[in-house]
Amino acid sequence: MSKRQRIRRYVLAATAVAVAATAGAALASPAAATAPAAVTSDLDDDGYADLAAGVRDATVDGSTKAGYVNVVRGGPEGLGAYGNTRISQARPGIPGVPEQGDRFGAAVAVADMDHDGRDDLVAGAPGEAIGSRAKGGAATLLLGGPNGLVGRYGEGHSVAYQQDTPRVPGVAEAGDAFGAAVTTGDYDHDGTPDVAVGSPGENGSSGGVRVLPSASVDGSCTITPARLVLASPTSALTYGKTLSSH
């Protein structure tokens, strides 16, 4: 498939990345006495859904509104009885450091990106400064494993994206708020989830969405109001402020 055809497919699929509602996390139906056959937010492959909650305004290591993600493990008795883990940029293996206003965890989404049977998590940090550009924003993919989103020694395994990352469309600018919304979906039906990241502050708050096929920068593209020929594409639509895919 040519790059032009792939971009056209993503544009046509943009209705699935609708500016609809969610910056939350997936939660399975109430747990039965035995583990369910399949769940959609199992970060540690124990057969039970886990809950990932963004705490974007939390103070981390003295930095106000640095933010973190709280992962609550599921089990036979549901949530709350099996511990929880705090994931922030203070943890080894997570790119960046906690800084005032980063708002890491402002948006979260889960999907099994690497087909290892464990769901992975994407966390947005729209307040992240990119160099001297305040609130340029970033998103981080955290890989799930036997211990959830942290390794044997408490470390994270992750990769960060922002608009200065090579092959990610656009350029990081102050106020873009890349990572204000994140979601996942198999938009090209190749069997591997793709990642969509909203940047509602882009182009004077007209907004946009970056699509990362299979969570990769290769073949990534941008969905904007102008490309979709929406009314008043240069006005402050804040397109991509919220995202949802099902």
Side-chain angles (χ1 to χ4, degrees):
M1 179 184 298
S2 69
K3 182 176 181 181
R4 184 171 183 178
Q5 288 174 316
R6 175 173 287 179
I7 290 174
R8 173 176 167 79
R9 175 170 284 183
Y10 285 129
V11 170
L12 293 176
T15 53
V17 192
V19 186
T22 187
L27 176 63
S29 56
T34 59
V39 294
T40 58
S41 57
D42 185 1
L43 300 170
D44 52 10
D45 196 26
D46 65 354
Y48 294 94
D50 307 306
L51 174 69
V55 192
R56 66 179 188 175
D57 290 336
T59 297
V60 179
D61 288 357
S63 296
T64 59
K65 297 185 178 181
Y68 65 86
V69 176
N70 182 238
V71 178
V72 185
R73 297 187 65 182
E77 297 179 17
L79 297 169
Y82 304 96
N84 66 93
T85 303
R86 189 173 81 169
I87 309 291
S88 78
Q89 291 177 291
R91 185 177 291 275
I94 307 298
V97 296
E99 296 174 310
Q100 182 176 357
D102 279 351
R103 293 189 165 174
F104 183 86
V108 294
V110 296
D112 184 5
M113 303 293 181
D114 52 7
H115 295 290
D116 67 349
R118 306 177 183 100
D119 278 316
D120 311 303
L121 183 138
V122 183
E128 181 85 18
I130 307 301
S132 61
R133 291 152 292 180
K135 300 180 181 178
T140 302
L141 170 63
L142 302 106
L143 299 176
N147 298 309
L149 296 177
V150 298
R152 180 178 179 183
Y153 302 104
E155 78 283 4
H157 299 278
S158 60
V159 59
Y161 310 94
Q162 37 99 348
Q163 290 184 89
D164 277 359
T165 301
R167 297 191 299 283
V168 172
V171 177
E173 298 172 309
D176 279 350
F178 181 86
V182 296
T183 192
T184 61
D186 187 5
Y187 306 126
D188 53 7
H189 199 56
D190 67 351
T192 299
D194 310 305
V195 176
V197 183
S199 53
E202 183 84 13
N203 296 329
S205 295
S206 176
V209 175
R210 268 63 183 175
V211 181
L212 307 173
S214 304
S216 170
V217 298
D218 294 329
S220 57
C221 69
T222 303
I223 307 297
T224 65
R227 170 163 283 177
L228 298 175
V229 198
L230 299 182
S232 304
T234 60
S235 64
L237 296 178
T238 61
Y239 185 87
K241 186 175 183 178
T242 56
L243 297 173
S244 179
S245 294
H246 298 286

